[in-house]
Amino acid sequence: MFTLTEIVKDDILEIRFSLEHCESKIYTITNANGVDVLQGKITGNTQRTCLYVGDLKKGKFSFRLGDDNGQEFTIQ
């Protein structure tokens, strides 16, 4: 499971992991229309990581890690 910054103001999305099963997972960020805008891989056994999302326009997005449920966040 993970939690993330719900309102991004400084172009950095912070992701905190609560389980140690988050090693080598594929993440996807989708916009409000359900279109994938970013995809990547988080490797290693980490408790926290940050992603630069400054290239995305302001609005609502969804972060999904592997097959887990997504969590929404907003870029202001």
Side-chain angles (χ1 to χ4, degrees):
M1 200 62 171
F2 63 91
T3 58
L4 50 91
T5 309
E6 293 182 10
I7 299 176
V8 177
K9 295 182 181 178
D10 55 356
D11 298 336
I12 302 295
L13 177 65
E14 181 181 344
I15 305 152
R16 292 177 299 278
F17 301 102
S18 59
L19 298 176
E20 295 183 15
H21 302 107
C22 294
E23 191 169 331
S24 298
K25 291 274 192 170
I26 301 292
Y27 69 85
T28 306
I29 295 178
T30 56
N31 64 14
N33 297 328
V35 177
D36 294 349
V37 291
L38 278 178
Q39 190 172 29
K41 185 175 185 179
I42 298 173
T43 58
N45 191 2
T46 183
Q47 293 179 351
R48 182 175 73 118
T49 191
C50 296
L51 298 174
Y52 175 75
V53 292
D55 293 335
L56 300 177
K57 295 181 180 181
K58 295 179 181 181
K60 293 189 180 214
F61 295 88
S62 178
F63 177 88
R64 187 177 188 100
L65 185 64
D67 294 330
D68 294 340
N69 291 330
Q71 185 175 345
E72 292 187 0
F73 67 96
T74 303
I75 297 177
Q76 292 185 341

